Amino acid sequence: MNIQTSGTDGTVTRQDAEDALAQLRVWASTASVTEVAELDPAISRLLPDQPLGNYPSLSREYPDGFEASADYRATLPDLQNGPSSLIKGEKQQIQHVGISNFRLPIRFHTRENGDISLETSVTGTVSLEADKKGINMSRIMRSFYKHAEKTFSFSVMEAALADYITDLETFDARLQMRFSYPMKIQSLRSGLEGFQYYDIALEKVLQGDVMQKIMHLDYVYSSTCPCSLELSEHARMSRGQLATPHSQRSVARISVQVVDQPKLWFEDLIDLARSAVATETQVMVKREDEQAFAELNAANPIFVEDAARLFCEKLKADPRIGDFRVIASHQESLHSHDAVSVLTDGPLFASESLDPKLFTTLFHVG
């Protein structure tokens, strides 16, 4: 079909386009869908009573029997691993990119030589060089799953990190596992027992040739205000006035660099925290336990500054612990705000800036 343009300089006018469209529609009225698609699939959008999809018409049935062969998989697009020309924004190194909070059951070895299976939230990240578009996120999960059937330890996490480095061709890699660890705790006087659950995270960080092993623990305790205690006793003694000191549920997030030998168990870090601040919240309580807890708080009144230093004293004395950080939050029953403190020892956890929402993450949800 030949269309002559009316312009002597080769330009196409609107009238030319209308004439061409009319001729195209005449031809299409007798052409098959296949002939239209072979000419140009986009033409169907210009024709009346034609479907807007491209030829061939698309199936709306899920193909149960379809199998993706190796040859077929080789044709699939992969934009994340594309050339640097696809990068959006500044070509800048990214320190952390990966996945967070994929969950699966993991077995852990306990101090008493038993195994326990716990639902674990895993975060895995790698660094990304400035000239790379992105990473294949699923490779992080696949690398992890290759080791997930084993009883987990820092050494198995290290193997997973080595896979990250190889599979994703990166130079830094990080792996963190978060879980709630149960320990059976005895009541103060009644002899009852119940399970206390501790929020723990294990972290492995590989930067170049340096591997860091870190353990995090959220320890929940009661803090009785020393000032309030003294004022209450003054009211009793000077005026015969009944008064009670204020105390509140408090949380300390203890993060420690783990030295290789001897082994630092989860239970060891929990015991260390309890030896520093004895007023841990209770699980099973009868009246005699409640009275004992009141006496224990009166014997151990602490400001938030005291708590940080008491934890520090125990941490510094343990040869299995290198650098550490203590973040304490006393969620005040007197004030409408909280009392907080941060104490670090060594360069690993030192930071001039704090996450604006750091302290809001220290609320314990029972």
Side-chain angles (χ1 to χ4, degrees), residues 16-243:
D16 295 332
E18 290 177 352
D19 294 342
L21 180 58
Q23 292 189 53
L24 181 62
R25 285 174 172 164
V26 170
W27 169 79
S29 65
T30 59
S32 68
V33 175
T34 302
E35 290 175 315
V36 171
E38 287 176 346
L39 180 62
D40 189 336
I43 290 175
S44 62
R45 296 181 177 273
L46 303 176
L47 305 177
D49 303 321
Q50 290 285 340
L52 295 183
N54 292 341
Y55 177 82
S57 59
L58 302 179
S59 171
R60 295 181 180 271
E61 298 294 327
Y62 177 73
D64 265 329
F66 177 76
E67 293 184 6
S69 66
D71 289 341
Y72 178 81
R73 292 195 301 270
T75 68
L76 296 175
D78 188 1
L79 295 182
Q80 275 298 81
N81 292 302
S84 59
S85 59
L86 296 178
I87 293 175
K88 294 184 177 181
E90 185 70 24
K91 291 184 178 180
Q92 178 77 21
Q93 176 188 332
I94 300 176
Q95 286 73 37
H96 294 263
V97 60
I99 57 176
S100 175
N101 196 34
F102 80 87
R103 295 178 296 170
L104 71 169
I106 293 291
R107 289 185 299 123
F108 294 90
H109 204 51
T110 69
R111 188 172 59 182
E112 285 71 31
N113 295 319
D115 281 356
I116 185 171
S117 182
L118 302 172
E119 180 183 294
T120 303
S121 170
V122 177
T123 296
T125 66
V126 296
S127 56
L128 184 64
E129 296 180 38
D131 61 349
K132 288 188 177 181
K133 166 64 176 173
I135 68 168
N136 188 323
M137 299 285 183
S138 67
R139 287 186 184 178
I140 294 180
M141 293 182 66
R142 296 200 300 269
S143 296
F144 187 84
Y145 266 98
K146 284 196 296 186
H147 305 278
E149 294 301 319
K150 302 176 183 178
T151 300
F152 246 74
S153 64
F154 276 125
S155 61
V156 180
M157 292 175 71
E158 189 169 332
L161 285 178
D163 286 350
Y164 284 13
I165 296 293
T166 302
D167 292 348
L168 298 172
E169 299 179 347
T170 184
F171 45 93
D172 293 343
R174 302 157 189 86
L175 179 64
Q176 185 182 94
M177 302 191 304
R178 295 186 293 111
F179 49 92
S180 186
Y181 189 76
M183 279 184 67
K184 189 171 283 187
I185 304 298
Q186 191 171 54
S187 60
L188 293 173
R189 284 182 181 153
S190 67
L192 297 175
E193 286 186 329
F195 280 102
Q196 188 83 277
Y197 285 82
Y198 299 90
D199 289 340
I200 292 177
L202 301 180
E203 191 173 9
K204 265 287 185 110
V205 180
L206 179 61
Q207 292 182 294
D209 296 329
V210 179
M211 180 75 76
Q212 300 285 4
K213 296 184 292 185
I214 300 167
M215 188 185 301
H216 306 270
L217 164 69
D218 278 10
Y219 177 71
V220 185
Y221 59 98
S222 172
S223 58
T224 295
C225 174
C227 181
S228 181
L229 178 60
E230 293 300 320
L231 291 172
S232 297
E233 289 305 301
H234 180 274
R236 291 171 186 262
M237 295 175 63
S238 65
R239 297 186 287 115
Q241 175 63 48
L242 180 64

Side-chain angles (χ1 to χ4, degrees), residues 302-340:
I302 50 172
F303 294 115
V304 72
E305 302 93 332
D306 301 323
R309 287 170 172 154
L310 286 167
F311 290 122
C312 174
E313 180 181 36
K314 295 295 183 180
L315 294 169
K316 286 179 73 72
D318 196 314
R320 298 169 295 180
I321 294 172
D323 295 356
F324 60 83
R325 178 183 62 211
V326 177
I327 305 171
S329 175
H330 290 190
Q331 289 144 30
E332 295 280 335
S333 62
L334 169 64
H335 303 291
S336 58
H337 56 263
D338 301 330
V340 296

